[in-house]
Amino acid sequence: MNSPQKYEPEFSERAVRLVIESRQPEESAKQAAYRVGTNLGANPGTVYNWAKAARSRPASVPSTDSDPLARLAQVEAENAELRRANEILRLASTFFAAELDGQTVPSGVTRRMKSLR
């Protein structure tokens, strides 16, 4: 018997956010969770349970009116995360383009990819 797969908290938060943001007007929450779970390669029932639990707990996002410094810190953290994701995507596209063209992958690209792990 296989043990249950463990997911990182960031993964489950992202999955819940995708369920909320991508839900179509004619779609139930369960249908949206199953669609997102299938697309992410996660158990759709688990994603639905995460989304259901997220609906029942209060939002932990700080209000922009009450604490602008907290909001600034949040935006800066998101910005850093997006910059890192862009760097990964840029390196991956360089890597795969070189492979498809039959060229040698530049050593700087592989070194940089290893440092991002």
Side-chain angles (χ1 to χ4, degrees):
M1 183 147 107
N2 293 338
S3 63
Q5 185 175 1
K6 302 293 181 193
Y7 297 100
E8 296 291 324
E10 294 85 14
F11 179 81
S12 61
E13 290 168 9
R14 179 174 175 244
V16 169
R17 194 170 55 248
L18 284 170
V19 168
I20 293 167
E21 293 173 357
S22 70
R23 184 174 170 197
Q24 303 297 319
E26 68 280 351
E27 192 175 44
S28 72
K30 192 171 204 169
Q31 290 170 326
Y34 273 70
R35 182 176 37 80
V36 169
T38 302
N39 289 340
L40 292 177
N43 183 323
T46 302
V47 174
Y48 174 69
N49 290 338
W50 292 337
K52 190 168 67 169
R55 282 193 308 260
S56 66
R57 60 179 181 259
S60 62
V61 177
S63 170
T64 57
D65 297 335
S66 64
D67 194 1
L69 290 179
R71 176 70 178 141
L72 178 63
Q74 177 189 12
V75 169
E76 286 176 346
E78 288 175 10
N79 190 14
E81 180 183 343
L82 291 171
R83 286 182 189 275
R84 182 173 181 270
N86 284 340
E87 175 71 7
I88 291 169
L89 291 171
R90 187 184 63 76
L91 290 170
S93 65
T94 303
F95 179 85
F96 289 116
E99 264 192 2
L100 288 173
D101 291 341
Q103 299 174 356
T104 306
V105 177
S107 62
V109 170
T110 55
R111 264 194 309 267
R112 183 71 180 129
M113 288 173 72
K114 288 179 183 176
S115 72
L116 290 173
R117 289 185 189 167

